[in-house]
Amino acid sequence: QVQLVESGGGVVQPGRSLRLSCAASGFTFSTYGMHWVRQAPGKGLEWVAATSSDGSSKYYADSVKGRFTISRDNSKNTLSLLMNSLRGADTAVYYCAKGHSGGWYYLDNWGQGTLVTVSS
Amino acid sequence: QSALTQPPSVSGSPGQSVTISCTGTSSDVGSYNRVSWYQQPPGTAPKLMIYEVSNRPSGVPDRFSGSKSGNTASLTISGLQAEDEADYYCSSYTSNRTWVFGGGTKLTVL
């Protein structure tokens, strides 16, 4: 079965960087688009970034554009999110999610999330 | 990238039907059938319930149905059950090649 396991979360000071990883298994990783979605404490879902199956296309929310970089290593079945210049508003649970077979417009499997806390 | 508009809360008794609306713009919901709905019980990860406006992934009960008219999509849950109590989010692809979620709707089963 599909498994997505996020790691790399923690407490970080404003202005610093953090890299999140998502280990994928149970499906052919290299054939699916992938996403990062975040959820601030007590708030709703916010889409963060997406990458196509081969990594050639990458898209970002305006709130993170220029600060966050999504990448993937299809040889290691791993999705990453490099987060620079972190702000308090970036505090959230970050979910890794797999695109649906019918199109990466839909997220059909989600990890359990990793918490990022930006605080001095 | 403004969030899609959903009612903060809806409620219904077991066996009843409820509908959750999701209003966007001509740049997202109105332009594409790439609308999906997610269920998130407290403390858990979201689960895909509806994709491409009205399609159900395998394993999702047919009590869940989706539709769209103009800039507004809707999720209807018929024959409400206690286990349906959760937060529900709509999502749409946009003309900016981004994705946007709704603010979420808390469903209470009375």
Side-chain angles (χ1 to χ4, degrees):
Chain A
Q1 73 280 19
V2 172
Q3 274 202 313
L4 299 168
V5 180
E6 301 94 338
S7 61
V11 180
V12 60
Q13 293 179 328
R16 304 298 291 264
S17 299
L18 200 64
R19 178 184 288 272
L20 305 182
S21 295
C22 172
S25 61
F27 65 103
T28 306
F29 181 72
S30 61
T31 63
Y32 291 92
M34 298 292 294
H35 298 252
W36 286 100
V37 176
R38 68 185 180 183
Q39 187 169 33
K43 302 297 184 182
L45 301 175
E46 180 187 12
W47 176 79
V48 173
T51 176
S52 58
S53 58
D54 64 358
S56 62
S57 297
K58 302 176 183 182
Y59 304 107
Y60 299 92
D62 286 347
S63 58
V64 307
K65 195 175 296 181
R67 299 188 301 123
F68 289 13
T69 302
I70 188 172
S71 62
R72 63 190 299 160
D73 185 337
N74 286 346
S75 68
K76 297 181 179 179
N77 292 349
T78 300
L79 178 73
S80 297
L81 184 69
L82 175 61
M83 304 184 294
N84 295 325
S85 304
L86 282 162
R87 309 165 179 168
D90 297 318
T91 294
V93 172
Y94 285 73
Y95 293 102
C96 159
K98 170 185 165 289
H100 188 263
S101 58
W104 64 330
Y105 310 105
Y106 323 110
L107 285 57
D108 66 356
N109 285 274
W110 298 60
Q112 286 306 300
T114 187
L115 176 61
V116 173
T117 303
V118 182
S119 174
S120 53
Chain B
Q1 288 178 334
S2 298
L4 306 175
T5 300
Q6 298 180 230
S9 64
V10 297
S11 63
S13 299
Q16 289 186 333
S17 294
V18 295
T19 296
I20 301 171
S21 62
C22 169
T23 301
T25 70
S26 58
S27 296
D28 39 65
V29 175
S31 285
Y32 305 98
N33 284 333
R34 293 162 181 168
V35 175
S36 49
W37 289 89
Y38 301 86
Q39 177 193 65
Q40 186 181 35
T44 70
K47 174 186 176 183
L48 178 65
M49 302 301 285
I50 295 287
Y51 68 96
E52 201 172 17
V53 174
S54 59
N55 294 314
R56 283 186 309 277
S58 60
V60 173
D62 60 6
R63 302 184 295 103
F64 291 83
S65 62
S67 62
K68 191 188 87 166
S69 177
N71 294 340
T72 299
S74 298
L75 173 70
T76 297
I77 309 171
S78 58
L80 267 179
Q81 300 181 3
E83 66 200 51
D84 299 333
E85 189 161 287
D87 293 328
Y88 289 84
Y89 296 90
C90 61
S91 177
S92 176
Y93 181 68
T94 83
S95 59
N96 294 324
R97 298 185 181 180
T98 60
W99 283 254
V100 62
F101 282 94
T105 298
K106 180 178 181 60
L107 168 62
T108 300
V109 181
L110 302 171

